[in-house]
Amino acid sequence: MAESKSSPAHPDRFGVNLRWQFIANAGQAFFGGLFMLVLGRLLGPSDFGIFSAIIAVVAVVGLLFDMRLHEVVARDFCLIDKGQWTKPSDRLYLWDLCLLDSAGRLLPCLGLILFSPFWAASIHLADDRANLVIIAAAGFFLSRAGNNISLGLLRVLGRTDLIALCTITDWALRLMLALIIALSASLSVEWAVWIVTLVGALLNLAQILLAIRELRLIVPDVDGRDWSPMDSIPRLLQARRMIMASIGLSASDLMAKDLDIALLARFLAEDKIGVYKMTKTAIQLLWRAVDPFYLAIMPEVQKLWQQSDYAGLKRLLTKTSVILTGLACLLVTAGCGGANLFVTTILGAGYAEIPQLMLIMSPWVIICAPLIWGLPLSVAINRPEFATYGSFFGLIVGLTAFTILTPLFGLNGAAIAWNLTLMSGFLLTGGLAVFFTMQHVSRTLKVD
């Protein structure tokens, strides 16, 4: 087996990953937030609503069968930073995952492209703009193919700094191009879709190349020689439970993403969709301050569970929950207060409903942040289906609430439904994971 040619991994990988993920999310919040503000201001609520609906329908279909393979990489390659493959077949297993990830991205995007008139009609997009669905779908594939694998590898290698670099560059470049086009021409929905497409593809390629470089420093033997489709099947079967659970999670998690945006096109006018999307973006930017804990805690929960360090696992989860409760309260207070003071000044009178809508859309952040370890714990205890159960339950609750409340209360009803979707999913996933963990630990201690 190949020996490492690099220095030993950082002893505090969790702290390093967490710090750099905070930097990545702060950069994304800053540049991504500015990018969305520029689009919202220059396009206006109606055109911003159209742009949001296009991106939403592509994301919903494109993520329908997302296998979330970065979590498989975090589980099965969490010891690769030691300088060698855990077993010789892992080199080909990594190629299996790469090709599986690309295929999983390609098929939904082909469906979007081949049936673009149908998808355009589903969001009431004018016939002369149906080609934007094709452009956005191609961009989605190019920006996502292989992304899960590169993301997972950089995390287990402790190179979250490179993820941060790619993330910040991605959003900064989108912002820069939007400003350049706005100064030299009129920024339109078409230009906005092209910006997202081209920049996403470029930065995904950069992240993949960086991941390959870093992996070769640790285990130089990474090529795909001797790989064959038939031999890949038994290797992939070792991850079948997690992959199937992830597909179920992705299919049922769409309400928590942008399915609500796509559905709003059937209930509300474009300007209302624009207001809703801008508000949702603001809340999601608040969540960006919480999200690094999920990305950093995943490999650490895996290692503590595999080492049977139950006391250490409990300390990690408890400490994380306490910190995130306080952080979430602070974020929601600051976000809603800032929106109340500045939103109409920055975005214009067309977005005046945002402060009130933010108050309705934000409670899930406070409830869900302390439970962010639910999915990592489910994966660690080899019960990834718990996240699927939680997500599916959230989807049912959310769709029911959305169907009932949106026609009655408009934007406020949709906001309440989004809260119920996320809260119910997080609560069930975390509750099931804790219950199973406690049972396992109790049985283990009795045997010992």
Side-chain angles (χ1 to χ4, degrees):
M1 293 184 183
E3 297 299 328
S4 171
K5 291 186 179 181
S6 63
S7 58
H10 196 288
D12 183 20
R13 183 174 62 180
F14 174 71
V16 171
N17 280 350
L18 185 60
R19 180 170 65 250
W20 279 108
Q21 195 61 51
F22 266 121
I23 294 172
N25 283 22
Q28 182 175 0
F30 179 75
F31 290 110
L34 285 177
F35 174 67
M36 297 302 285
L37 289 175
V38 167
L39 289 187
R41 179 74 182 196
L42 296 179
L43 293 178
S46 293
D47 275 355
F48 183 70
I50 293 171
F51 166 79
S52 300
I54 294 169
I55 299 301
V57 74
V58 169
V60 166
V61 177
L63 293 173
L64 187 59
F65 302 112
D66 183 15
M67 289 170 278
R68 306 166 70 96
L69 293 180
H70 61 92
E71 293 165 3
V72 177
V73 173
R75 185 193 70 175
D76 294 342
F77 296 89
C78 63
L79 300 177
I80 199 172
D81 60 342
K82 302 300 182 183
Q84 60 186 26
W85 300 109
T86 303
K87 51 184 180 292
S89 62
D90 278 355
R91 173 177 60 85
L92 296 178
Y93 177 44
L94 185 61
W95 279 91
D96 300 335
L97 294 175
C98 289
L99 294 171
L100 183 64
D101 183 59
S102 297
R105 302 300 189 187
L106 179 61
L107 294 178
C109 290
L110 285 177
L112 283 163
I113 292 171
L114 293 175
F115 302 101
S116 58
F118 167 79
W119 299 113
S122 71
I123 55 174
H124 302 295
L125 190 65
D127 292 340
D128 61 344
R129 282 180 158 176
N131 66 309
L132 292 179
V133 174
I134 297 175
I135 297 170
F140 185 88
F141 172 73
L142 294 173
S143 65
R144 295 281 184 155
N147 183 267
N148 273 333
I149 309 304
S150 63
L151 182 66
L153 284 174
L154 289 173
R155 280 165 52 195
V156 297
L157 292 172
R159 294 309 310 267
T160 325
D161 56 325
L162 297 178
I163 298 175
L165 174 64
C166 291
T167 301
I168 294 171
T169 304
D170 185 340
W171 288 101
L173 190 54
R174 294 185 193 201
L175 174 62
M176 183 179 69
L177 289 178
L179 291 173
I180 290 173
I181 292 170
L183 291 174
S184 59
S186 177
L187 186 65
S188 62
V189 175
E190 287 77 9
W191 274 117
V193 171
W194 273 111
I195 289 172
V196 171
T197 295
L198 296 176
V199 175
L202 177 63
L203 268 298
N204 183 44
L205 176 61
Q207 182 170 295
I208 291 171
L209 294 176
L210 288 171
I212 293 172
R213 186 196 69 177
E214 292 303 313
L215 183 60
R216 282 177 172 165
L217 291 175
I218 299 294
V219 281
D221 184 21
V222 298
D223 63 76
R225 69 182 186 280
D226 303 326
W227 182 89
S228 69
M230 293 305 298
D231 292 339
S232 69
I233 295 174
R235 288 191 296 267
L236 287 173
L237 286 176
Q238 65 183 299
R240 66 186 182 279
R241 185 172 186 172
M242 190 170 178
I243 290 173
M244 294 306 297
S246 294
I247 292 174
L249 177 61
S250 297
S252 59
D253 196 37
L254 296 177
M255 187 64 183
K257 296 185 175 71
D258 273 349
L259 179 58
D260 52 343
I261 303 292
L263 291 175
L264 275 178
R266 297 182 176 272
F267 294 100
L268 302 173
E270 290 88 350
D271 60 330
K272 296 296 184 182
I273 298 173
V275 170
Y276 182 89
K277 174 60 177 178
M278 187 63 72
T279 308
K280 182 178 179 178
T281 299
I283 299 297
Q284 289 174 322
L285 289 176
L286 297 181
W287 183 257
R288 287 294 174 186
V290 175
D291 201 43
F293 285 88
Y294 164 75
L295 294 172
I297 205 173
M298 173 69 82
E300 307 312 316
V301 171
Q302 298 283 343
K303 293 183 75 171
L304 290 170
W305 181 258
Q306 291 178 18
Q307 295 167 358
S308 299
D309 185 0
Y310 305 129
L313 179 60
K314 181 180 179 181
R315 286 193 300 270
L316 176 64
L317 300 186
T318 302
K319 182 179 179 181
T320 301
S321 293
V322 171
I323 292 173
L324 289 182
T325 299
L327 177 61
C329 292
L330 180 62
L331 289 169
V332 169
T333 301
C336 292
N340 191 56
L341 291 173
F342 303 115
V343 71
T344 53
T345 303
I346 296 173
L347 289 171
Y351 293 93
E353 295 176 83
I354 286 180
Q356 176 189 343
L357 199 58
M358 279 190 70
L359 288 173
I360 301 173
M361 293 184 78
S362 58
W364 73 269
V365 176
I366 298 173
I367 301 297
C368 297
L371 301 173
I372 201 168
W373 42 260
L375 176 55
L377 182 60
S378 298
V379 172
I381 64 178
N382 199 29
R383 290 295 185 274
E385 63 270 18
F386 288 168
T388 305
Y389 300 157
S391 183
F392 184 75
F393 179 63
L395 176 67
I396 298 300
V397 171
L399 284 176
T400 302
F402 191 92
T403 303
I404 295 172
L405 298 177
T406 304
L408 292 175
F409 304 109
L411 291 179
N412 292 342
I416 294 171
W418 192 46
N419 271 282
L420 293 175
T421 299
L422 294 162
M423 286 190 288
S424 55
F426 267 77
L427 287 169
L428 184 59
T429 299
L432 288 173
V434 169
F435 179 76
F436 181 88
T437 301
M438 292 177 65
Q439 281 194 324
H440 176 86
V441 172
S442 178
R443 289 194 301 267
T444 302
L445 294 178
K446 284 180 181 180
V447 171
D448 293 341

